[in-house]
Structures are given as C-alpha cells and as structure tokens.
Amino acid sequence: MALSSLTVYEAQDLLRRKEISPKEIVEDLVRRIEQVDGAVHGYLSFDPERALKDAEQADVSLPLGGIPISIKDVVSVQGHPCGCASKILQGYVAPFDATVIKKLRAAGAIPFGRTNMDEFAMGSSTENSAFGPSRNPWDPDRIPGGSSGGSSAVVAADEALAALGSDTGGSIRQPAALCGCVGLKPTYGRVSRYGLVAFASSLDQIGPLTKDVRDAAMIMNVISGVDPCDSTTLDELVPDYTADLDKGVKSLTLGLPKEYFIKGLDPQVEEAVRAAVGRYEKLGAKIVDISLPHTEYALSTYYIIAPAEASANLARFDGVRYGFRADGITGLLDHYGKTREEGFGQEVKRRIILGTYALSSGYYDAYYLRAQKVRTLIRRDFDDAFAKVDAILCPTSPTPAFKLGERTGDPLQMYLADVFTLAANMAGICGISIPCGFAEVEGMKLPIGLQILGKALNEATILRVANAYEQSTDWHLARPPLGWPS
Amino acid sequence: MSATKFDVRYVAELARIKLEPGEIAAFEAQLGHVLEHVEKLNQLDVSQVEPTAHSFPIYNIFREDETRPSLDREAVLANAPRQAQGLFIVTKVVE
C-alpha cells in the first residue's frame, strides 16, 4: 500500500510504531504527484526539499507529528508563495504564517504544497484559476468543484493525506462532495482567519478536506480556538472532536428540510441522499421533517453580501505594496485601472463590480441592507430548526460534477452549484459533507455528497453523525480509477 | 430596486478597474441576469427585521496596548513590485 493513500490516523499509527518515517511519506507523495498531477493539476506548486527538511525534524509524538498537509493557495505559509490562483499576486511570498499554520506546525504537521482554487476563492469549479482548472480524479472531463477544488482533487487522488480549504459559500463542502472526500466548514469564529486572504469576511472559514471523518476531527482539534489576531474568533472551549465519534446516533433527532428536495435536484443525488437517510433510521436516529422557509432566498442574499464584502477586501490589490503592477502606466488612476484590469480574472472583476454597485450611493439600502435583513431571517430558520433537531441532513450539491466549460458562460448557472451550501455560511453554523454513493453518468462513476448541518459550535455532533454513517458504509474507501492518460 | 440594467462603466470606474468595451457589454448582460434573480428579495417584508452583519455579534474585543515586533522592513519590501532605499516606489500622485 502506497503511503500517500493513508489516512492521517493510519499514518500517525505507523509513524509512532516507527514502521515508516515522515520522510518516506513526503517522498511517496512526491512520487504520486509526479505520477498523476500532470493530469489532475491539483497543485500550483510544491517544494519537496523544504518538506523533506521539515520531515527530518518532525516530532511524531505530537498530535499531527510528521503529517504533511496540503494548503489551499489562499492561506499564508511563511516563505511559500500565496497567490490565490491570481495573476495579481504573482511572485508574492507570504512573510508570515497564518494562525492555522502556526497551530499545525506546533502540532508537528508539515505544511506541504499549494493547492489550486478558483481565483480568490470565487467560483465552484476551479475554472477561474489563472493557472488553469484542476480536474476531477473520477472523470478528467469534469470539474472537481470549487473553490477548494485543488484540495479536494489531491485528497481524492491520494496526492495528499489531507488538505486545508476555505469555505465562504460552500467552497469546502461542494468540492469534497464532487470528489468523494470529507469536507468540514467550521462554525464562523471557530477557526482563526488570520492569514487567510479575505474574500467575504463575515462568511469565510478555514476547514479540513480529508479521506475520512476521523481525520477531519483530528485536524479540527488542532486548528480550532480563539485567536487574539482575529477578533471574530469565539472564546469557547475546544473539545476533543474525536471523543464522541463512536457514540452513534441512537439518541439523536435528524431533520430533513423539505426545501432541499426540490426541482433541479438530480434524481441520482436524491436517491443516494434518501438512502443515507434510510441508513440513519436503521442506525436508530429519529428522522423528522423540518422546514427552512427562507432557503430560496439564500442565493440572492449571498450574491449581494459576498460580492459587497469582496469589493471592499479586494481594494487592497492596487499594485503598490505587493504583487503585480501593469506596465506603461500614465498616471495614478491609470495605475489602478490597468493593474486591476490585467491582474484580475473575469469572475473576480464581475464580483467586484456587482459588490461595488450594491454598496454604491443610492443602492445600499435596496441591496446590501435588505440582504443583511434577509440574512437574519435565514439565521432564524436554523435557530427554529435546531430547537427541534440535533442536526440536519440534505444534499451537498444538487448535481454530481459537471463538465469543464459547461457553466463558464453563464455565471448564474455556476452560482446555483452552491445553492445548498450557502445558507450555512449566512447563518454562521457548521456543516460537513461526506461521501454517500455514486451517480452513473455517461459510463463514469461520480461521487455524491451528503451534507450534515449542525448548530453553531456543535462540530462534535456533526462529526459524530457523519462517523456513524461512514462506519456503516464503505463509500469513503472507494478510490478513483485514474487510469486516464495525462 | 427595479434597475436590472446598471451602468457597468461607471461602477467599474468606482472600483478602479478598466474594462474593454466587450467586457462592459458582457458584464451588463450577465449581471443584469443576476440582479433579476436578486429581485426575489423584494418579495419579503423586512421592515421589522434587524440586519445581520455577523452571525455572532461579539463586541469590544481589546488587546493590551503594548508594542509588539512587526515584520522586518526587508521582508515587507521583498514583495513590492518596485522599491528602492527602503521605500515603495509609487506612481506619481501630484501633478
């Protein structure tokens, strides 16, 4: 068995028994990347020498000692490039570690390669990367999801043991679903955003993409917690997320929101999710129907709030202090206009313009303020639901992975890929996507994700619910064929 | 909130992004489409609803007012597109 296909806890066990060394894991990952990443294109860059040096010094007695973790290109790792898959950050090398990276290092982990993404995390397919899309390891003609599509692809293709992603509207959960891995979006404020390049500051969270639920719990144990460098982090105790994993679902009530089983939901996705619900009943959970009445407004709310916040956050990319600056500048306005024209890709420009419009004089109340009020209604829906249920079960994505190029001409169609994941970010609650089956499309097997949503700070509950299902199925053990030519 | 076609050229100026004429036309059509979808929010009566800016309103997060080390000047300047003598070189601001 190749070391690159190990889970984090399997690798940890072998490391602690001295059957393998951290160096061997890194070497094996490098071999695997050389073998398949030409076709997958999950990595933007990686630095084997630095990783090997870190591996030599790794203390395997630490919680993630000697475990390489791949990092989405939006999280700062000191001395590594951090480009957000954008031309405007070309040549930028992070001068500091994000808090999550400091925590990973303190736990003995090795920050590994930089994974591909939609530029500035804006997108659902990685097709907005300035460096070309990643491909779904289950079918090279299809997208791996996004924006953390590089992270999900490298985990699914065994080019990483685990990865970090970021989730603003579904960017961890949706790619995890489409690539057949596990992806967890923590409660807003559970994990520090310090060192995460900001997209929409009131929605962004960093979280793990892993091969199974236990690995996600182990990484959450390390990266969670209050941070003086991020004043929005919550000063709440971080429990041991692995402690309740095996407690089962017998005493739990799980809600099925009727608004998530609608027209537009792929029949094979619906069948797989309903089968998973049946499995939970067999495992002893009580299933109840619930309603989240404002679900249909989540997409519109999101596409005002997220671009508005992005338009302010991305004002810092001005070609002065870091990154790209256009040539042939004639004056100050020309400097900004040209640098941002040439530095940003289409989708980023589109969202900055949409957000600028929503915040502009005369439109603020009609768009931004109204969207923030609807956000309150969406949040209340979840408050009401969690008064009755311990967690919510629903599909992660309405369809399996779509084809490259299929939706690039129609932004609204692309935005609909996140229709089931956005609401959790609006409400600030936690959610996880786990594999729950496969769709057969044009002769290819495509993974389907089950989404489990939990109350704020109830990561332990959704991990427990996820683990109960995972332990009774073997979807998470399936690996993509990857026999296709590069 | 009835304007589903907006002046992309003017907004792009506010956002300090130059656009090609072709891009302006494409964005006008695409974003008009998105704004039509957003019109949906007008169906709701939100007159009695407080806005949510953050999911968990937490207030008054202070730290001790102490000096702390910051990044080295060299480390900061290393990423600059143009720099000299410990300074960023910027485009001329005054005429």
Side-chain angles (χ1 to χ4, degrees):
Chain A
M1 185 178 180
L3 304 184
S4 58
S5 61
L6 296 173
T7 64
V8 170
Y9 65 88
E10 285 167 347
Q12 182 187 60
D13 183 50
L14 292 170
L15 286 168
R16 288 183 178 171
R17 288 198 276 125
K18 302 214 184 316
E19 288 184 27
I20 59 170
S21 69
K23 193 163 157 260
E24 287 170 298
I25 299 179
V26 172
E27 285 168 350
D28 206 64
L29 283 173
V30 172
R31 265 196 297 276
R32 179 68 178 165
I33 291 167
E34 281 166 359
Q35 184 194 354
V36 302
D37 205 58
V40 176
H41 191 233
Y43 284 103
L44 291 172
S45 66
F46 68 105
D47 183 346
E49 269 100 76
R50 191 192 299 256
L52 285 170
K53 224 174 101 196
D54 286 348
E56 270 164 25
Q57 296 161 358
D59 175 355
V60 300
S61 68
L62 292 168
L64 294 174
I67 306 287
I69 296 193
S70 300
I71 311 293
K72 186 179 181 181
D73 198 32
V74 70
V75 177
S76 303
V77 179
Q78 186 172 11
H80 292 222
C82 181
C84 302
S86 178
K87 186 183 170 189
I88 210 160
L89 274 169
Q90 81 180 17
Y92 175 79
V93 174
F96 68 103
D97 273 338
T99 297
V100 291
I101 300 299
K102 272 193 194 137
K103 284 172 177 273
L104 283 178
R105 286 194 204 274
I110 302 165
F112 193 54
R114 309 290 303 172
T115 59
N116 198 12
M117 55 187 280
D118 287 293
E119 185 180 2
F120 285 104
M122 297 178 189
S124 310
S125 70
T126 74
E127 289 167 297
N128 297 330
S129 166
F131 305 99
S134 302
R135 291 174 183 262
N136 194 309
W138 291 90
D139 179 352
D141 294 333
R142 291 176 189 271
I143 56 95
S147 65
S148 311
S151 292
S152 65
V154 299
V155 170
D158 286 333
E159 300 176 67
L161 300 198
L164 289 187
S166 64
D167 191 315
T168 305
S171 282
I172 289 173
R173 292 159 288 155
Q174 184 257 16
L178 302 194
C179 287
C181 45
V182 171
L184 188 147
K185 183 204 92 76
T187 304
Y188 184 79
R190 175 82 294 189
V191 175
S192 169
R193 294 178 294 111
Y194 181 70
L196 169 71
V197 179
F199 162 13
S201 302
S202 79
L203 306 168
D204 298 340
Q205 273 289 288
I206 296 171
L209 290 106
T210 56
K211 292 176 193 181
D212 68 12
V213 173
R214 180 168 297 273
D215 281 6
M218 287 171 69
I219 293 174
M220 283 301 293
N221 277 352
V222 169
I223 63 173
S224 302
V226 68
D227 176 15
C229 295
D230 175 0
S231 62
T232 63
T233 49
L234 301 169
D235 193 3
E236 302 282 342
L237 188 81
V238 178
D240 176 0
Y241 289 116
T242 62
D244 289 350
L245 283 180
D246 296 322
K247 285 198 173 158
V249 291
K250 276 210 174 80
S251 56
L252 299 182
T253 305
L254 306 177
L256 276 188
K258 63 171 195 261
E259 291 82 3
Y260 283 66
F261 296 87
I262 46 163
K263 197 172 140 265
L265 176 62
D266 181 276
Q268 294 192 74
V269 173
E270 172 159 10
E271 196 185 329
V273 171
R274 294 216 183 263
V277 173
R279 176 61 60 109
Y280 274 112
E281 262 183 313
K282 281 209 187 87
L283 292 169
K286 190 178 162 201
I287 308 288
V288 298
D289 289 321
I290 58 166
S291 174
L292 298 164
H294 296 94
T295 299
E296 63 174 305
Y297 301 101
L299 188 75
S300 298
T301 311
Y302 180 85
Y303 277 99
I304 293 300
I305 291 176
E309 293 184 12
S311 70
N313 276 324
L314 272 65
R316 63 170 62 87
F317 299 103
D318 57 5
V320 173
R321 292 152 301 158
Y322 38 72
F324 169 78
R325 181 187 296 188
D327 290 328
I329 287 164
T330 58
L332 188 64
L333 281 179
D334 192 53
H335 164 126
Y336 294 141
K338 249 193 206 144
T339 295
R340 288 159 67 81
E341 175 189 20
E342 294 172 26
F344 289 136
Q346 289 285 304
E347 181 62 19
V348 173
K349 288 183 205 172
R350 205 155 31 224
R351 293 209 201 179
I352 290 175
I353 286 167
L354 179 58
T356 304
Y357 177 68
L359 292 178
S360 63
S361 175
Y363 295 101
Y364 179 89
D365 284 4
Y367 288 110
Y368 190 64
L369 190 63
R370 175 169 284 266
Q372 284 192 317
K373 289 180 175 179
V374 179
R375 185 175 178 184
T376 304
L377 299 176
I378 292 167
R379 214 185 59 188
R380 281 189 202 154
D381 281 356
F382 283 103
D383 288 346
D384 293 345
F386 288 123
K388 297 181 208 115
V389 301
D390 298 293
I392 294 170
L393 302 177
C394 57
T396 309
S397 160
T399 66
F402 46 91
K403 286 201 165 149
L404 280 126
E406 195 180 309
R407 300 192 187 184
T408 42
D410 186 348
L412 191 59
Q413 272 307 308
M414 187 68 89
Y415 298 170
L416 283 166
D418 293 331
V419 68
F420 294 151
T421 45
L422 302 161
N425 301 76
M426 309 297 302
I429 61 171
C430 58
I432 189 170
S433 179
I434 58 172
C436 74
F438 289 93
E440 294 268 345
V441 184
E442 296 171 8
M444 304 298 268
K445 277 173 72 180
L446 301 175
I448 297 172
L450 170 72
Q451 184 173 219
I452 304 160
L453 299 173
K455 200 156 82 170
L457 293 170
N458 270 16
E459 279 82 359
T461 305
I462 58 170
L463 284 161
R464 170 182 166 188
V465 172
N467 195 56
Y469 178 80
E470 187 182 88
Q471 290 304 305
S472 77
T473 57
D474 51 15
W475 306 118
H476 63 292
L477 300 175
R479 288 290 182 274
L482 272 178
W484 25 283
S486 55
Chain B
M1 206 166 137
S2 58
T4 49
K5 185 171 156 64
F6 64 90
D7 187 349
V8 166
R9 185 190 307 273
Y10 169 69
V11 178
E13 256 175 53
L14 291 179
R16 302 287 185 265
I17 298 177
K18 283 207 168 138
L19 294 177
E20 300 288 328
E23 275 181 313
I24 292 174
F27 283 4
E28 228 148 42
Q30 289 164 339
L31 293 176
H33 202 45
V34 172
L35 285 178
E36 266 169 45
H37 194 86
V38 168
E39 292 284 318
K40 209 180 172 62
L41 298 181
N42 286 335
Q43 298 166 359
L44 293 167
D45 176 9
V46 290
S47 53
Q48 304 300 315
V49 183
E50 287 291 310
T52 295
H54 272 81
S55 320
F56 308 107
I58 43 179
Y59 301 102
N60 298 342
I61 306 298
F62 296 114
R63 62 169 168 76
E64 291 306 310
D65 187 16
E66 290 165 346
T67 56
R68 295 181 301 174
S70 54
L71 291 172
D72 279 357
R73 184 193 293 206
E74 264 109 84
V76 173
L77 287 169
N79 278 311
R82 292 186 67 199
Q83 48 111 354
Q85 297 173 12
L87 302 165
F88 294 113
I89 297 185
V90 299
T91 301
K92 193 174 169 191
V93 178
V94 285
E95 295 301 325

